[in-house]
């Protein structure tokens, strides 16, 4: 899968998001309640154009420390914060990107491929990464998630 890693320049994307401080291994329990708040906000504000779910992870400085995660949805215009929902930009700049096709439970291999590519090419992971989720489908084999890591 390291052959599937592409280096590209990302432009910042605006998301409506709820930030959660997540302990190591806690993303699976944290994203649902946060994303429910975002979608409730978007349903209450139908004039805000929206895209796909996007989870932005701010990497901790020390391994094992909690991580700040912005669980959100792409939006295409600025908005005023409401409750826990605020406007957040993904980072711009050089990123390593891979598209994972298949079950979310198998996404670890795509993340590992980016880390392996970086190790093989003398590159370092930067301060953030994100997952952009494609359209929902009943067949897990048809799921598509684009994973991006900022490089330094």
């Amino acid at each position: 899968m390291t052959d599937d890693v592409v280096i590209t320049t990302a432009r910042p994307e605006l998301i409506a998001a709820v930030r959660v401080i997540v302990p190591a291994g806690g993303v699976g329990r944290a994203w649902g309640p946060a994303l429910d708040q975002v979608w409730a906000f978007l349903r209450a504000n139908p004039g805000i154009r929206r895209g796909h779910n996007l989870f932005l992870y701010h990497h901790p400085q020390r391994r094992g420390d909690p991580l700040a995660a912005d669980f959100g949805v792409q939006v295409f215009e600025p908005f005023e914060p409401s409750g826990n929902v605020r406007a957040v930009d993904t980072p711009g700049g050089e990123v390593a990107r891979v598209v994972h096709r298949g079950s979310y439970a198998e996404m670890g291999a795509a993340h590992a491929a980016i880390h392996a590519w970086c190790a093989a090419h003398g590159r370092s992971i930067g301060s953030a990464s994100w997952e952009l989720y494609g359209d929902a489908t009943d067949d897990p084999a048809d799921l598509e998630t684009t994973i991006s890591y900022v490089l330094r």
Side-chain angles (χ1 to χ4, degrees):
M1 180 169 251
T2 56
D3 292 341
D4 298 328
V5 174
V6 174
I7 305 308
T8 189
T9 301
R11 294 196 340 233
E13 289 189 72
L14 185 63
I15 61 174
V18 169
R19 179 166 288 184
V20 179
I21 304 302
V22 183
V27 169
R29 290 183 301 280
W31 72 266
L35 201 57
D36 287 347
Q37 292 177 62
V38 174
W39 278 106
F41 167 77
L42 292 172
R43 282 191 293 279
N45 293 278
I48 298 175
R49 292 180 305 125
R50 56 201 176 236
H52 291 96
N53 293 342
L54 189 152
F55 297 176
L56 173 60
Y57 304 106
H58 306 274
H59 302 161
Q61 290 194 358
R62 291 187 314 239
R63 190 173 187 86
D65 281 356
L67 108 118
D70 291 309
F71 298 109
V73 176
Q74 294 169 307
V75 294
F76 301 101
E77 52 263 335
F79 62 90
E80 291 298 317
S82 177
N84 292 326
V85 180
R86 60 192 185 88
V88 176
D89 282 311
T90 61
E94 188 178 33
V95 299
R97 180 171 287 160
V98 69
V99 176
H100 168 73
R101 290 178 181 83
S103 167
Y104 299 139
E106 299 167 356
M107 280 192 335
H111 286 274
I114 290 176
H115 285 269
W117 184 94
C118 287
H121 292 86
R123 299 299 304 266
S124 297
I125 298 291
S127 62
S129 61
W130 60 95
E131 299 164 342
L132 174 62
Y133 294 87
D135 294 332
T137 175
D138 291 334
D139 185 352
D142 292 335
L143 294 170
E144 185 174 291
T145 308
T146 302
I147 300 165
S148 301
Y149 277 75
V150 173
L151 297 174
R152 53 177 170 182

